[in-house]
Amino acid sequence: MVKFLLYSLLILTFLLSTINCQTETKPTLNSANSANSTNSTSSVNTPTRYEGEEKAQIFDLLDKEFLTIKSITALSDTLENALPFGEVVAIHIKNETNKNQTLRIDCGTVLRALSARYQDLIVTRSIETELLAYGEWRGNLEVFSLQMRRHYPYKPATYQLGNLAQGDLRKLVEYFCFNHPQADSKVDLTPVQYAIWRVADNITLNQLLTYSRGRGNPSLEEQEELEKQVLEQGRFTDQILSDCQITAKFLDSNP
């Protein structure tokens, strides 16, 4: 499993490193929420297509201005070291009151990238913590990426809290959260990433392989190894989708 995981991440990084990314930026925050703060207390950005109307618990505290989100930023310094999933973004929150505040960032919360160069993300492990009066808290969020054809999180990528996911994406992510492996386990989570890409970005095995051939220009030997690896992982992906009662399949009829 460890070998599968390391090899898979190298493949995924290789695929994304050759993307001709979009350079336009998404709509920016308004002046009240710009600069060092990324509060999403009002609909300053149009919700992504992945989001529903329900908001995470933390929004109540943000709306009341009890808390301020100072930043949500990528941890990786370079594209070469960036990963599509894991604890790859950091969040910095400040308590603006003279009372302790308990906050929760729910599993299924979408993180909107503030530049279209980068993938939007989804939180896959809830975090709950208490901030002391006027205190600050920094922590890492576990996330998975939502689009295959954009950059993984790396500096200077920044993000804004969105709403909870909707539809099959929410069903899938909540299933994963409920059945989350132990933090110290060596389970290969690449099939989970494929499942999320399948539901959120309509990616199938053939599309992923075609994309790799067109962008990465791998050798025949590399391509055969990639196909073997992805096919093996894809079987687990389809099992995950089936367990979630999602009809979409990652493996094509003729992979």
Side-chain angles (χ1 to χ4, degrees), residues 18-54:
T18 58
I19 295 175
N20 180 18
C21 292
Q22 304 176 57
T23 57
E24 70 272 18
T25 57
K26 295 183 180 180
T28 56
L29 301 170
N30 60 23
S31 57
N33 290 318
S34 60
N36 294 325
S37 174
T38 57
N39 278 357
S40 304
T41 56
S42 60
S43 186
V44 295
N45 278 355
T46 302
T48 63
R49 59 191 173 91
Y50 314 109
E51 301 171 44
E53 297 297 323
E54 188 177 354

Side-chain angles (χ1 to χ4, degrees), residues 222-233:
E222 289 171 335
Q223 187 64 35
E224 290 176 350
E225 186 65 25
L226 172 64
E227 291 179 9
K228 179 181 178 181
Q229 181 75 8
V230 176
L231 181 61
E232 177 68 22
Q233 294 165 327

